[in-house]
């Protein structure tokens, strides 16, 4: 009666893989943007899979402290690559690292993305060289953390309360935590590994407040790792996931740093305590975009990873006979309901992949435009528009893609029945690690509201006949026609142009409805 | 500028709690069914909160093995209560234990709910006494596990392949695992702690198969805990959650048990190998309902726990000033969008609580009717109808409530921003522990399909003019009128009767649509 054979799973998989109706290699190339990028990623994957430092099969049974130690061993190994390969190559390597070890990715993201990113976007050329020479690239003598969030303030960055008083007598800033709520909280790397922190604090000069600026504050002696005077640090301990990164809290008690440790590309404080503010405040926020852009790519990659497991399992798993005379039970992938559970998610993950490539392109274009700006530049207005668009697009996509991927992970888990619940099959950690993407670098609800605000105001502009310059909202031009458009024929939806026009109408109606609902709320 | 005071949180909470617009105690009594039940639960909570064995604040940093040890210490403590208090009291205590330690709850649920439940529903009175005397109630000398699922078969219980051959010569059954796929898998308690297993195996007598029956198979010597001959057991290891229970796999190699170890209330095998099958197979499945019923209550309780944390936090957390002149930042609970995120979930959790009380009542009624049945009983048909209704209602509710609660937990976490991600705030483990509820004791998709099948066939019956006897589908009687009914006035929805009729129409339309879609699928 039994039809069990020990080889059945392997035979089934081989059969599923045989004779695909399309060229798999060609599709992979498309997914990764180009053949050279795909080949690079394959090379990086091979290197990681053979390197004992990246051995991960035992990770499920390690304690938080063991996982943290492993993170540091891996960082030591990656420091080798960062000094020997191009930034672009290293970024691709990092993108894969997130699939392998999200805690490690975060620890490096905090250092290279947030800490170094803060320096890159906020330092003068001289300051930049100064910190480079301290060893920030090779993580030698300088390993950074990013000190924005406080116990009482996360989303409301303007409300941060850590103070940076300028002491004109000694030409120093005094960094201070005025109350418990102002304790820096969640700071990744602070608990054990960071030597320096980019601290967001209220600049106060001669009693006047100038808002939140960034200061590089040494935390530990880079040799002994002893805390420096005035620095109190604690460990935030066990988290839902990403235990590989040592999140901590920091209190500063009258910590003195040289004036030059304030990043002064935008706002400057002179030796006499004169404060020069930048002409355009909004140009200073470009640096926050990189994290969100990376997270959209990470959402796509993680969704694909989860679905690779669940779709493969669905092909191999058999449960119930649909036909009593069949030799084997039915592969669960052949049940229409199972296809409905997984296939739309596959399509979505693929779409996220292309979205990520496109957002990366937009981000790079915007960054270059920002860096090329000169005083009195004729491109100023266009660049500001571009920045606004990149802001709201990355905000909306970060929220949408991370929410959807978190759901994809759990649906994939459930599609694997009981086996999805074993840690060794990957979903447990994947979910726990990924979940924080909905919260950090802009809480998803807040980001969704920002994207919504941008769309509603674009819609109002469109109604007022103002032309949309942002590529992302161009579909709102000729709004009356777009709203009234009907699909001419089923065939129209077989062309890219037809799909494009279809989406324009769908999106315009969605924005119109949101806009009208919003107006109604305001009136109520 | 700062408005931080160390007492602000406590003051805010005190203010929120002052002057509630309704009698909180009265509401609690309603939620728990009666004042005496509420008082009992408060007593149990107090006992657990003061008992060092139930100290849980350090749980987040323990290893899997430490957590398992703690489970056993707690079981030792609970064994004291189980022998000294009524079944009903102990069940209430257990309901609370799930909020405190879901792994512990599971270990006890496997023993008392599944293992003992299998004996209770499947044993003859003599067999029942026999196992009682072995110490099953006090977990003395007998600690059970439930061996249904195999590596290759979970949902398809009829496809299980473990065999139980009757050996007429020795008057024994031979329990055997014929192939790798037939390895019992996921069995909670098997890895380390169980002495006996209720094994589901194919009964084979004189070469003829009689389907899946239940056999009590000793696994370990109750003193030395050494595995008995022919028993191979392995540990399933790290899971997404509930590491307090030791899930294992079991292979049987020609394990011999006395004939009397087969549970023979329904099917009997005589000394000569004659097999007597029960007149009504469906009456044997009543035992599976208890777990689902308990899980609906657990979903309600867990959702309330998650929401207690997130709503309290929303009252105390302030972020951004809605009005520049306000003394403090706005409590996030005062943002309409935050209310929309949490309040519908609160309403749902409360509704789940009442649903659970009602399902418990239905379950008890059905169990009593089943136990009271005599051969040739005039109540037979009505009881079978009741059983069918209880089956499909508990299946649908288990799926719906566990899915919704899993979502409630993660939404609650996200509503707490970064702090939701700290393990110490409870959501991480709550989510990981709860997630398995969507999979075990009937995979939710399969259960939803079963509930759907029941509803669609009830709808067909209603169309055919056949009267609905089940209370749960009575709204389908007079189907034409119910479908055509319109709400007379807004006031009608302020009365219970009006709401009831409103739901009847909504539900009837939903079932109609499902039914028509299903028919369309069949034709396509
Ligand atoms: C694992 C982890 C690592 C982190 N690492 C770092 C780090 O290295 N450096 C760093 O600086 N920070 C770090 N953070 C902090 C993170 O950036 C913040 O948690 C995040 O910005 C959200 O802020 P919050 O936690 O204060 O939430 P809050 O801003 O308090 O929000 C709480 C809830 O209220 C809602 N809400 C808030 N305001 C409004 C409003 N106006 N209208 C409606 N709803 C509102 C939000 O949607 C959210 O659900 C980390 C966080 C975590 C969890
Ligand atoms: C932590 C844990 C503890 C457990 N403890 C025990 C225990 O103590 N004793 C015990 O006996 N068992 C136990 N189980 C097993 C549990 O009962 C099974 O995992 C569950 O019944 C699902 O079976 P499965 O895992 O084989 O999934 P499968 O039945 O293989 O289902 C896999 C997937 O396919 C889908 N699917 C299956 N059939 C169909 C179909 N016909 N149409 C459409 N979709 C379909 C399902 O929806 C599911 O998503 C435990 C499981 C876990 C995770």
């Amino acid at each position: 009666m039994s039809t069990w054979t020990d080889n059945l799973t392997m035979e089934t998989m081989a059969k599923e893989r045989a004779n695909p109706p399309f060229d798999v290699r060609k599709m992979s190339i498309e997914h990764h943007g180009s053949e050279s990028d795909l080949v690079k990623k394959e090379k990086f994957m091979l290197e990681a899979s053979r390197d004992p430092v990246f051995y991960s099969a035992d990770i499920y049974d390690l304690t938080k402290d063991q996982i943290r130690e492993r993170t540091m061993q891996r960082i030591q190994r990656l420091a080798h690559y960062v000094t020997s390969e191009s930034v672009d190559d290293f970024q691709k390597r990092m993108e894969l690292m997130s699939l392998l070890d999200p805690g490690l990715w975060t620890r490096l993201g905090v250092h290279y993305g947030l800490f170094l990113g803060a320096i890159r976007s906020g330092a003068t050329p001289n300051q930049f060289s100064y910190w480079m020479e301290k060893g920030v690239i090779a993580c030698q003598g300088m390993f950074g953390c990013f000190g924005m969030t406080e116990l009482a303030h996360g989303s409301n960055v303007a409300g941060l309360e850590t103070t940076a008083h300028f002491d004109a007598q000694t030409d120093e800033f005094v960094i201070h935590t005025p109350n418990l709520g102002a304790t820096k909280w969640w700071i990744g790397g602070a608990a054990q590994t960071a030597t320096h922190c980019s601290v967001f604090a209220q600049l106060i000069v001669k009693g006047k407040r100038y808002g939140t600026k960034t200061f590089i504050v040494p935390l530990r002696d880079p040799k002994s790792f002893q805390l420096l005077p005035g620095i109190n640090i604690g460990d935030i301990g066990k988290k839902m996931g990403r235990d590989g990164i040592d999140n901590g809290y920091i209190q500063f008690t009258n910590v003195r740093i040289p004036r030059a440790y304030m990043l002064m590309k935008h706002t400057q404080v002179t030796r006499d305590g004169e404060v020069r503010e930048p002409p355009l405040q909004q140009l200073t926020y470009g640096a926050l975009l990189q994290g969100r852009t990376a997270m959209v790519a990470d959402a796509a990659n993680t969704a694909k990873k989860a679905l690779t497991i669940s779709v493969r399992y669905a092909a191999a798993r058999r449960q119930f006979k649909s036909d009593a005379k069949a030799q084997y039970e039915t592969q669960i992938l052949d049940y229409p309901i199972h296809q409905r559970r997984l296939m739309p998610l596959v399509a979505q993950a693929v779409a996220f992949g292309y979205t990520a490539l496109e957002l990366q392109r937009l981000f790079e274009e915007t960054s270059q435009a920002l860096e090329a700006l000169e005083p009195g530049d004729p491109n100023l207005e266009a660049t500001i528009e571009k920045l606004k668009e990149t802001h709201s697009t990355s905000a909306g996509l970060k929220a949408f893609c991370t929410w959807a991927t978190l759901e994809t992970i759990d649906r994939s888990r459930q599609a694997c029945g009981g086996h999805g619940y074993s840690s060794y099959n990957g979903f447990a950690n994947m979910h726990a690690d990924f979940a924080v993407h909905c919260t950090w670098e802009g809480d998803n609800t807040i980001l969704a509201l920002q994207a919504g605000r941008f769309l509603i105001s674009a819609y109002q502009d469109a109604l007022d006949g103002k032309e949309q310059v942002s590529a992302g909202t161009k579909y709102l031009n000729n709004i009356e026609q777009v709203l009234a458009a009907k699909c001419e024929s089923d065939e129209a939806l077989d062309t890219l142009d037809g799909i494009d026009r279809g989406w324009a109408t769908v999106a315009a109606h969605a924005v119109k409805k949101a806009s009208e609902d919003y107006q109604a709320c305001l009136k109520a």
Side-chain angles (χ1 to χ4, degrees), chain A:
Chain A
M1 194 176 100
S2 168
T3 54
W4 173 270
T5 69
D6 288 353
N7 293 331
L8 183 57
T9 301
M10 260 142 26
E11 284 162 17
T12 305
M13 282 310 293
K15 214 169 130 195
E16 288 288 330
R17 286 191 173 117
N19 310 318
F22 56 84
D23 183 330
V24 174
R25 183 76 189 165
K26 238 168 146 176
M27 182 146 180
S28 298
I29 292 170
E30 284 297 321
H31 284 190
H32 293 274
S34 73
E35 180 157 20
S36 63
D37 282 0
L38 174 60
V39 169
K40 249 180 221 165
K41 287 186 189 170
E42 287 171 332
K43 173 172 168 278
F44 299 154
M45 272 298 193
L46 182 71
E47 286 167 6
S49 70
R50 293 211 184 144
D51 188 337
V53 168
F54 292 106
Y55 176 75
S56 293
D58 60 348
I59 208 88
Y60 311 100
D61 293 295
L62 300 184
T63 65
K64 170 171 94 332
D65 293 341
Q66 288 170 324
I67 293 176
R68 286 189 185 175
E69 270 179 44
R70 196 163 286 192
T71 301
M72 295 315 286
Q73 288 158 3
R74 291 175 174 185
I75 284 178
Q76 199 175 25
R77 175 62 42 101
L78 288 169
H80 159 75
Y81 292 111
V82 78
T83 48
S84 64
E85 66 195 11
S86 75
V87 172
D88 182 61
D89 279 12
F90 190 69
Q91 269 176 359
K92 290 219 164 50
R93 193 185 288 277
M94 279 302 95
E95 199 182 316
L96 298 178
M97 280 301 141
S98 169
L99 290 176
L100 201 83
D101 181 346
L104 167 69
W105 186 70
T106 309
R107 185 63 193 90
L108 283 165
V110 163
H111 176 69
Y112 289 117
L114 296 174
F115 175 74
L116 181 55
I119 295 182
R120 190 168 277 148
S121 73
T124 64
N126 275 345
Q127 289 183 322
F128 187 72
S129 311
Y130 175 83
W131 294 113
M132 285 307 100
E133 278 159 29
K134 289 243 178 192
V136 61
I137 295 294
C139 308
Q140 295 288 357
M142 188 170 194
F143 199 32
C145 64
F146 183 77
M148 184 138 95
T149 307
E150 297 173 358
L151 184 54
H153 289 99
S155 304
N156 181 10
V157 174
L160 295 175
E161 300 193 19
T162 301
T163 51
H165 277 271
F166 178 58
D167 181 343
Q169 255 187 319
T170 60
D171 199 22
E172 288 171 324
F173 286 107
V174 183
I175 309 294
H176 188 68
T177 304
N179 59 52
L180 184 65
T183 307
K184 291 290 169 189
W185 202 268
W186 277 121
I187 312 307
Q192 293 169 314
T193 57
T195 59
H196 293 72
C197 183
S198 55
V199 175
F200 287 70
Q202 297 287 348
L203 171 64
I204 305 178
V205 182
K206 298 180 190 156
K208 189 173 165 204
R209 284 177 175 257
Y210 291 88
T212 305
K213 311 293 167 212
T214 316
F215 303 81
I216 305 298
V217 183
L219 301 176
R220 292 184 171 89
D221 180 302
K223 294 237 165 65
S224 70
F225 269 70
Q226 290 298 308
L227 291 179
L228 296 176
I231 307 282
N232 284 70
I233 282 186
D235 196 328
I236 288 197
K238 195 81 181 69
K239 303 187 297 283
M240 186 163 173
R242 298 188 195 241
D243 277 328
I245 176 161
D246 51 312
N247 291 89
Y249 62 81
I250 316 176
Q251 291 183 325
F252 303 96
T253 307
N254 299 321
V255 174
R256 291 180 164 266
I257 55 169
R259 179 170 54 92
Y261 282 16
M262 169 174 156
L263 298 179
M264 296 213 200
K265 181 172 170 183
H266 305 291
T267 300
Q268 285 128 30
V269 178
T270 66
R271 178 65 192 89
D272 328 320
E274 189 198 330
V275 181
R276 297 195 193 127
E277 292 186 88
L280 278 166
Q281 202 67 39
Q282 58 259 67
L283 294 182
T284 64
Y285 293 123
L288 291 175
L289 300 174
Q290 191 184 357
R292 290 180 199 164
T293 306
M295 282 164 69
V296 172
D298 196 45
N301 292 337
T302 307
K304 287 176 186 175
K305 176 176 171 178
L307 288 160
T308 302
I309 301 171
S310 55
V311 173
R312 262 191 211 163
Y313 185 72
R317 178 69 168 181
R318 296 169 183 276
Q319 199 76 187
F320 295 106
K321 274 193 184 173
S322 310
D323 173 356
K325 276 173 285 166
Q327 182 183 7
Y328 300 118
E329 289 178 75
T330 307
Q331 292 164 265
I332 56 175
L333 188 55
D334 287 343
Y335 289 115
I337 194 168
H338 211 75
Q339 295 169 355
R340 286 246 204 155
R341 287 167 74 185
L342 294 179
M343 291 304 131
L345 300 178
V346 171
Q348 180 176 267
V350 170
F352 285 0
Y354 289 114
T355 305
L357 291 175
E358 185 61 21
L359 183 62
Q360 180 69 27
R361 201 196 47 67
L362 182 66
F363 165 68
E364 275 163 18
E365 218 176 85
T366 307
S367 305
Q368 279 160 18
L370 277 176
E371 278 177 25
L373 271 191
E374 306 267 330
D377 206 306
N379 285 326
L380 184 66
E381 207 176 320
T383 306
I384 289 180
E385 272 309 310
K386 205 168 197 62
L387 184 60
K388 275 197 208 158
E389 182 193 2
T390 313
H391 245 292
S392 75
T393 307
S394 64
L397 285 175
K398 184 273 199 183
F400 184 77
C401 297
T402 57
W403 267 330
T405 292
L406 190 62
E407 203 171 319
T408 295
I409 297 168
D410 203 63
R411 287 183 182 223
S412 289
R413 173 186 70 76
Q414 291 192 37
C416 295
H419 295 301
Y421 199 70
S422 163
S423 288
Y424 310 114
N425 294 324
F427 297 116
N429 283 8
M430 214 187 303
H431 187 278
D433 289 339
F434 195 85
V436 73
H437 271 358
C438 302
T439 298
W440 65 12
E441 305 220 11
D443 169 86
N444 276 5
T445 299
I446 307 277
L447 293 184
L449 289 172
Q450 286 175 7
R453 194 172 304 136
F454 178 80
L455 289 173
I456 287 176
S457 89
Y459 177 75
Q460 285 306 328
D461 286 351
L463 284 189
D464 298 345
K466 214 174 123 188
E467 201 187 321
Q468 295 295 314
V469 285
S470 301
T473 48
K474 275 228 160 68
Y475 64 89
L476 293 174
N477 289 329
N478 304 319
I479 183 75
E480 301 298 341
Q481 275 138 281
V482 174
L483 286 171
K486 300 255 175 263
C487 186
E488 307 95 64
S489 65
D490 282 0
E491 290 81 54
L493 290 179
D494 291 339
T495 65
L496 279 180
D497 172 65
I499 293 173
D500 209 40
R501 281 182 294 129
W503 274 116
T505 298
V506 170
H509 276 281
V511 176
K512 174 172 184 270
K513 177 156 190 336
S515 200
E516 288 169 357
D517 287 357
Y518 177 69
Q519 298 297 341
C521 276
L522 286 189
K523 278 186 202 124

